[in-house]
Amino acid sequence: MIAEHDLVPIVVLGLIIAFGALVQSVVGFGLAVVAVPFMVLIAPDLLPGAMLVTSLALPAWELISGPRDVDWQHWWWAIGGRVALMPVGVWLVAHASSSAIALIVGVLVLAGVAGSLWAVDLRPTPGGALAAGAITGISGTAASIGGPFLGLVLQHERASRIRSTLAMFFVVGAATALLGLAVGGQLRHDQIVVGLAWVPFVVAGSALAVPLRRRMPEAAMRRAVLVLAATAGAVVIVRAIVS
């Protein structure tokens, strides 16, 4: 339970999560990208379960309260890939070191950004969505980072479609990952309790994002997606090297 952890780090991480929720409310993803590197440094024992529990709140609220502009065709391909590779993520949590997981995820994220900037311009395709979902099945389960890959595939879509499709992807994907971790014996009770305790911070960050969302043009949306993905990749690689 929370009593088993120092309250100060939990609150500090809660404030970081609030900022991540603000970013995700504007861009469509970013909660885990912002928070996970700090969690690894401050409370690595809470990963990935606590972050997955927390990350369910914001996309669920997005789907309930906002426009549901989901790209179902590519969503089905993406979620199929995520569910298929989710057991690999569970295996990594049980057997691989956190440094190895961080390195794998960071390299994949930076490769996706490089492909978007310098190779063929990424557009939504069933194959791209399936590949993004498959990578996320590993990274989202093992490291709680699941937004950059499908976000890159959808980067040219309108802002409402990116947010809605990613929200549906996060809800189903995170719930599936939590189920897989629970079945594999890798989800602890204290992770669930702390994850639920962070939900009010998510609500606060989302509320602060409302005025920003109305002013952000779609060109800025794409740049934000690429910058966030690149930042996530760089941070986790540095973390893996340092540790």
Side-chain angles (χ1 to χ4, degrees), residues 3-204:
E4 299 172 358
H5 296 269
D6 191 343
L7 187 59
V8 173
I10 298 299
V11 173
V12 170
L13 286 171
L15 295 174
I16 295 169
I17 285 169
F19 177 70
L22 184 152
V23 172
Q24 181 161 317
S25 295
V26 174
V27 176
F29 74 92
L31 177 57
V33 167
V34 169
V36 166
F38 291 96
M39 289 185 67
V40 170
L41 295 174
I42 297 173
D45 59 310
L46 293 174
L47 283 171
M51 191 70 251
L52 285 170
V53 171
T54 303
S55 66
L56 276 171
L58 184 54
W61 175 249
E62 289 272 357
L63 294 174
I64 293 170
S65 62
R68 286 177 288 279
D69 185 18
V70 179
D71 181 348
W72 288 109
Q73 177 188 5
H74 297 105
W75 181 88
W76 279 110
W77 285 100
I79 202 65
R82 178 164 186 168
V83 171
L85 271 291
M86 179 266 294
V88 178
V90 175
W91 183 88
L92 282 173
V93 172
H95 299 286
S97 68
S98 59
S99 296
I101 294 172
L103 189 60
I104 292 169
V105 172
V107 169
L108 289 174
V109 170
L110 291 183
V113 173
S116 177
L117 290 175
W118 296 302
V120 178
D121 195 16
L122 289 178
R123 299 284 173 171
T125 63
L130 179 64
I135 296 170
T136 304
I138 300 172
S139 68
T141 305
S144 307
I145 295 178
F149 311 108
L150 187 57
L152 288 169
V153 172
L154 299 173
Q155 63 185 284
H156 291 290
E157 295 295 309
R158 56 186 176 271
S160 62
R161 172 151 291 193
I162 294 175
R163 284 194 293 264
S164 293
T165 306
L166 287 176
M168 185 65 72
F169 183 68
F170 288 150
V171 167
V172 177
T176 303
L178 285 168
L179 178 61
L181 289 168
V183 171
Q186 301 302 316
L187 181 63
R188 302 195 316 272
H189 182 256
D190 65 317
Q191 293 177 335
I192 298 173
V193 173
V194 173
L196 292 173
W198 281 332
V199 170
F201 292 94
V202 172
V203 174

